[in-house]
Amino acid sequence: MSTSIQTTDDRRQTTALRSWSVFRLPSSVRETPGLVLVSPTMLWLVVFLVIPLALIVVISFAARGQYGDVVYTFSLDKYRALLDQQYLQILLDSLWIAFLTTVLTLLLGYPLAYFIARSGTRWKSLFLFLVLVPFWTNFLIRIYAWMILLRSEGVIAGVMKALGLMQGVGAQLFGLIQLYTPGAVLIGMVYEFLPFMVLPLYTSLEKLDVSLLEAAADLGARPWRAFLRVTLPLSLPGIVAGSILVFVPAMGMFVVPDLMGGAKTVLVGNLVRNQFLVARDWPLGSAASMVLMVLTLLVTLLYTRRFGFGEELRV
Amino acid sequence: MMTDYHTRCPHRARWSLLGLALVFGLVLSACGGAAPTPTAAPPTPQAAAPTQAPAPPTQAPAAQAPQVTSKEFNLYAWSEYVPQDLLDAFSQEYGLKVNYDTYSSNEELLAKLQAGASGYDVIIPSDYMVTIMANLGLLEPIDLNHIPNFANIDERFKNPPFDPGNKYSVPYQWGTVAIAVNTEKVQQPITKFADLWDPMFRNNLVVLDDEREIIGMALVVLGYSKNSTDPAQLEAAKQKLLELVPNIKLYDSDSPKTALLSGEVIAGVIWNGEAALAHQENPAIDYILPEEGCGLWEDNLAIPKGAPHKDAAEAFINFVLRPEMSILITRDFPYSNPNKAALELLAQEDPEAYQAYIGFAATNPPPEALEKCHRIVDVGEATTLWDKVWTEVKGGQ
Amino acid sequence: MSERHPPGPGLKLYAVLGFAYLYIPILILILFSFNVSRYSVAWTGFTLHWYNELFRDRFVWEATRNTLLIASVSALVSTVMGTAAALGMQRYAFPGKRFCEATLYLPVIIPEVVMGIAMLAFFAQMGIQLGLGTIIIAHIAFCVPFVTLTVQARLHGFDRHLEEAAMDLGANEWTTFRRITLPLIMPGVLAGALLAFTLSLDDYIITLFTAGPGSTTLPLRVFAMLRQAVTPKVNALSALWILVVFVLLLGVQWLQRSQNVKRNA
C-alpha cells in the first residue's frame, strides 16, 4: 500500500468551522460540481465503511447472548473486561511488536533506500524494480518462504549443521529465530513491511539536493555530521510516511503470528479475529477493535505532531 | 512508490496494461461460467489411488432418493476431511458443480454460520455442536426416507445421545483425541496425558488448536469432568495448562501431522486420523490412548437451515454412505468409519488395508480404551469462561 | 543526487545483503518447487510433478478466476469513482469537505482487521449473503481512497491555464475534461488503477471476513493450502505468481524505456 500524504494546499481552510457543516446548501454554482464529483465515493464509503464502523461501536457496548448472538444493550462490561491483565498484556505485546517492526524496518530500510537514491539513473530503476517485485508478490507466499527457511529442520538449520555452526552460540541464535518463536514472527513482520518503508524513504531521499551536502562539506562538516544535520532531517517526511505505513497494519496483523508463531502469540489482531470467528463474542471483539483503532490513531497522531505530517509526498 | 515511475511512462502503455489485465480477468471469469460441470477436473482417481479405489459407480442412485435438480452444491467441512475423488464422483454423477470451503474447528463453523455465511448445503459438525445448532434452530431436519444408505451405518452409531433419532445428523466419521509419539525420538514409554508435562518435551509438542479438547485434557488429568463448568476447576485447569505451555511448540488443528513428520516436534495431542496418516508415512509414529481416557468425538453430516440446494444435500449424504465411497474416506483420511458396509467391503477388496485399519489403535481403538473415553458436551453459559481461559493459556508465554 | 556522489563500498555491501535478504527466501521457494521430496529441506531431484498437480487443482483455478474478476471490477469502479472524487476534492470547496477528507483517510489509518469485521458485522445485520458481491463491495471501499489520493497527488501541480485556454477557445467543460485534463492526469489515474488492482489482488484479511461459499480467492486458497499438509504445490503456485508479477513489471519497464527512447529520438 502506498499513499500520498498531503496537507491541503488550500490554506484558506482556516474557515474550518464552516467546512464541517455538511448541512449547508451549496451557496454557489461553483460548489455543486464538487459535491457531485465526490458523492459516489462518499456515498460508498459512508454506507460501507462509516456505517459498519459505527455498528462496531454500537456492538462494543452490547452483550453476548448465550449462544454467541448479540444482545443490544448499553453496558461498559466489555471495555471493563479488556482492562483485565491478560488483555492489557496483549495490547502491550502488539504495541511492542508493531514498534519493533517499525524501528527494524526503518533501520534496515534506510541504508537500502539511501543506496538506491544514490545510484546512477540506470541502476535506480533496476533497483526499484527489484524492490517492487516482492512487494507485488502475495504476502502469504513471502511468509511461506520464510517458513521453509526457519523450520527446525529447514534450510537454514541444514546449512548451519553442514557448516558445523549448529552448536553453542550458533544453536542458541538459531533457537531465537526458529519457526514458531517470537523471533520468527518478527522476521516475518519485517520482511512483510520492508518495501512499505523503503519506497517512501527512497522517494524522500531522491529529492535531496546534493548541493546541500556539498555545501555542508565545504563548511567543514564530516560526512556523518552532514548526514545527521542535513540528510536525515530532510528525509523526515519519508520516515514519517514509511513509519505510518508499517506501524498501522503491523498493529492489526494476525496472520504472521498465526503462521510463523504457531498460533502461540496472541496479539490484538488475533484477539479480534478469534472473538469474531471462533469464540463468537462480538461485543468483546468490537470493544477490542475500538481500542485497537483508538490506540493506533493516538500513536499516529502523536507521532505526526512530533515529527510533522511532512510535506506532500509523491509516493 | 510508483508515481515517479509512472509519470515518466506514457499513458498509452499504462492504459494497455490495465486494459490487458481487465480483459484477462473478464475472459477467465467467462471461461469459468462456460463449463457447467468441472470437466477440467483431474483425471479419474485410478491413476493416483491404490487398487481398491473403484471407478465412479455405475449403479443407479438409490431408488427412493429424490431427483436432484440443483446445478451446484456447497460443502462446508473440516479441511483434509473429504476426498477429492469422492467429490469428483459426486459431481460427475449428478452433473453439478461442487464447492468445498473449509473450517478448522466447530466454533469457527458456528461463528461463520451465525455471522451470516449462509449458502452452504452440507456441514460436518461434531457431536456437541449438533446439539447446540439444533437448539439454535440452525439445522434442517433430515428426512431419513431420502437416505436409504443410512442402513449401512453400524447400529452402535445410530440414534446417538446428542441427536436422538438422527433427526438432524447422519454419522460421518468418528475418532479419538490422544497422544501421538515419535518413538524414534522418545525412548521411554508414554502412557498418560500427564506424561507430556515432562521437561523432556520442552518446546517439542504440537497440540490441537481446540479449547474444548485441550482444556478438557487438563481437566481430565486433574480428575475433573471434561465438561466442567465450575470456575474453580477451570482455574485449576488453566494453571495446569500454563505449566504445559513451555512444552507446546505450536497449536495446529488442521494438519498437526506435518509438525510430527517434519521433525518440528516429537509428540503431540492430535486427532486419530492425523496420527494414522503420520504412522503410514513414518511407522515410528505411534498412537497412545492415555490412561486418563482419550477424547471421543463423532462427526456428522448435517444440513444447515435454508440450504439452497437441499436435494443435492440429501443426495450427497446418501452418496457418502455408499460403501465404495465411504472406503475412499478411510483410504485418504483414516479416521474410524461408522459405516459397517464400508468396512466389510474393505475387508473384501483390500485385506491388507483392512488389517492395517483393524490393527492400529488410531483407527480401531480397543473397547477398554473406549470405555474410559470422554465426550464433549456443550457447556452453555460457561462458554465465555472457557474462552477466557483459552485466551489466557495461549497468551501465556 | 546520483552521479556525483555514488554510494561507497560499505553501502554497496549493505545493499547486496539487503537484496539478498529480500530475495533468498523467494529463490529458495522457487527452487524447491522443482524438488522431488515433499519437504523443502534437502534437494532430492528435479521434477515437474508439483506443477502438474497444480494445474489439475480445480480449486486453485477457480480461486484465480475469482481473484482476477474481483480485482478487475474493483479497480475499474474505484478508479472511476476515485478520479471523480479527486477532481472534486482538489478543485472545489463545498460544505462538508473536511468530513470527506477524514473519511477518505479512514482506510489508511484503520487496521484491516477492524475494517474486515466491521463489514462482516454490517453484512450480517443487513442479512446480505456473503459471496463475490460482498468481497467486491469491500474491496472497492478500501481501494477508492488510495486511488483518490494518488490522483490528487497528480492534480496537485496541475497547470489550469491549459484548461482555461481550451475553454477560451470555445470548448465546454466536458470536452475540456476529456481532451485536456484527462490525458494529462492519465498517468496518475492509471497509477491509481494499478494500485487498486494490486491491493485487491493481494488482499487476505478483509477478504477473509467477507467471503462466502464458493467465493474463494487466491490468497484465501494459498492460506488454506498452507494450513494443510503443505506440499511443494504451494511452492509451484508461488513460483508462477512471482513469475507473472516479474513479467508484468518487466513489461512495464520495457514499455516505459521504449517510449522514452522514442521521445528522445
Side-chain angles (χ1 to χ4, degrees), chain C residues 10 26 47 65 83 85 94 106 124-125 129 133-134 147 155 165 216 257:
Chain C
I26 294 182
T47 176
R65 267 200 316 269
T83 308
F94 49 85
L106 268 177
Q125 294 294 336
Q129 233 221 59
T134 49
V147 176
L155 277 172
T216 316
R257 204 161 284 183

Side-chain angles (χ1 to χ4, degrees), chain A residues 1-4 8 19 30-31 41 72 108 118-119 121 129-130 138 140 144 153 191 210 214 289 312, chain C residues 1-2 4-5 14 21-23 41 81 92-93 96 101 117 125 144 146 149 156 199 202 219 235 249:
Chain A
M1 296 190 286
S2 73
T3 186
S4 35
T8 35
S19 309
R30 290 262 63 196
E31 287 182 340
T41 304
Y72 287 99
L108 291 176
R118 279 286 200 97
S119 310
T121 335
F129 172 74
L130 285 179
N138 183 264
L140 284 166
Y144 175 56
E153 300 197 0
Y191 195 70
V210 186
E214 289 178 349
S289 312
E312 170 216 357
Chain C
M1 169 64 147
S2 10
R4 278 138 71 193
H5 282 261
Y14 185 84
Y21 172 65
L22 275 178
Y23 276 90
V41 176
M81 292 204 316
Y92 302 92
E101 253 175 54
I117 56 139
Q125 294 294 336
V144 165
F146 287 98
L149 290 171
H156 184 65
L199 285 175
D202 208 31
N235 295 51
L249 284 178

